Amino acid sequence: MLPAMSDAASVDPEDRKIITLARSARARNGVPEGAAVRDETGRTYVAGTVALASLELSALRTAVAMAVASGAMSLEAAAVVSAPGPDAPAEADLAAVRDLGGPGTPVFLADPAGEIRSVTHT
């Protein structure tokens, strides 16, 4: 966890960027969640919740899938923006980040205003 969740200065600018991208995806697409991940080269992948009759994916699993499909070899960080709810991403979301990012990858969970609610390390 971060020492003070409301202290934006304690968040790395690159991590703040993926939180902002996740916020934008959520707002632009009108979906329950937005997510962004950053790979080992600094590229970012942004996604929203997928809710089709034949396919349902969280925003974070969609962003991880996009990174894998684009050739990412690992993840440096991930962010999810959602309405108030659980204090950590779902275990299936964390598992997807862990599969590509390995243990210790930070996953930021923020509210729609971009305030960080928690940081979980996979």
Side-chain angles (χ1 to χ4, degrees):
M1 293 264 178
L2 294 174
M5 290 300 158
S6 61
D7 184 6
S10 66
V11 178
D12 179 274
E14 291 300 311
D15 295 335
R16 179 58 59 193
K17 177 182 169 183
I18 62 173
I19 293 167
T20 299
L21 290 169
R23 284 182 68 206
S24 296
R26 180 180 183 271
R28 179 179 57 250
N29 297 324
V31 292
E33 293 181 334
V37 299
R38 184 177 63 249
D39 74 8
E40 75 283 359
T41 67
R43 289 180 297 181
T44 56
Y45 305 88
V46 181
T49 308
V50 174
L52 300 173
S54 62
L55 177 65
E56 290 189 31
L57 289 172
S58 70
L60 187 52
R61 282 181 274 166
T62 304
V64 170
M66 291 170 65
V68 170
S70 295
M73 301 303 289
S74 67
L75 295 179
E76 292 182 348
V80 178
V81 172
S82 66
D87 288 335
E91 182 52 41
D93 289 348
L94 295 174
V97 172
R98 191 178 308 112
D99 283 349
L100 187 57
T105 305
V107 179
F108 296 88
L109 179 62
D111 67 17
E115 292 295 317
I116 298 170
R117 296 195 322 244
S118 69
V119 182
T120 305
H121 291 83
T122 59

